[in-house]
Amino acid sequence: MMVVDWTALLLGLVAGAVMGAVFFLGLALGMRLALRSRNTIGLLSLSAVLRIAALLLAGWVIVAHGGPWAFAGYGLAFLAARVIATTLARVDAPAEGAP
């Protein structure tokens, strides 16, 4: 029988939700800044590197402290944050051909 470490899972869920929110808010901010900038590619690249590095570093710390159950929670919460962010982006997007 598999034993679930609920504390580690909860730690991973909380950390994954926070990092997911930070990741996608950073993406939104990076896109807004890049679309107003003359150096679009450089700004988007810097934003991506910083967001990915922060996400991986936080994931590494969570796994080091919580083990595989924390990793599972972290991944599930980030996936949920992604689904929420993409759903909100679709809702806010103007319809094709709209003024």
Side-chain angles (χ1 to χ4, degrees), residues 16-99:
V18 169
M19 287 307 297
V22 168
F23 185 88
F24 289 109
L25 288 173
L27 175 61
L29 178 64
M31 288 299 296
R32 286 184 191 270
L33 293 175
L35 291 174
R36 295 179 184 160
S37 172
R38 301 185 97 217
N39 187 12
T40 304
I41 294 174
L43 199 55
L44 285 176
S45 298
L46 177 63
S47 172
V49 166
L50 291 175
R51 287 181 294 110
I52 292 168
L55 187 71
L56 291 174
L57 178 65
W60 181 73
V61 169
I62 292 300
V63 170
H65 288 289
W69 287 108
F71 176 67
Y74 187 78
L76 288 173
F78 183 80
L79 181 63
R82 181 190 177 278
V83 169
I84 291 168
T86 54
T87 300
L88 290 175
R90 280 191 206 117
V91 169
D92 290 342
E96 191 173 324

